[in-house]
Amino acid sequence: MALRMDPARRRRLQELARVHDRWQAAHGVDDADFTPDGADSTRRRTPSPEAERELMARSRAVMGLDPETGHYRD
């Protein structure tokens, strides 16, 4: 039996995946915590703290949270 997902949640998750892919390409990130399984472990590039903050802010915004605090918007 297929799981049903709220269409709005599905759209947010799809956008979140696109944001992650663009961020990963822009920053050249290839790290186990930020890439799919099977990434080349001998040549990993970890993100800078600034890049991580950028991803977190963008991710929060996509999911409907305040980008700075991560709290739900009123």
Side-chain angles (χ1 to χ4, degrees), residues 2-74:
L3 295 176
R4 292 188 179 186
M5 184 183 298
D6 176 59
R9 179 174 171 76
R10 183 183 309 275
R11 284 190 296 275
R12 284 192 302 267
L13 291 173
Q14 289 170 336
E15 179 59 23
L16 187 59
R18 286 189 288 272
V19 163
H20 179 268
D21 290 344
R22 288 190 302 262
W23 171 85
Q24 184 179 344
H27 292 283
V29 173
D30 180 20
D31 186 272
D33 292 336
F34 297 95
T35 58
D37 291 338
D40 185 355
S41 63
T42 61
R43 296 181 295 146
R44 291 231 153 94
R45 293 175 304 282
T46 58
S48 68
E50 294 80 17
E52 285 189 59
R53 282 191 291 275
E54 176 188 325
L55 176 62
M56 184 60 64
R58 288 182 180 181
S59 298
R60 287 173 173 169
V62 166
M63 297 308 288
L65 303 172
D66 180 88
E68 297 298 318
T69 65
H71 295 138
Y72 285 103
R73 295 177 181 170
D74 293 330

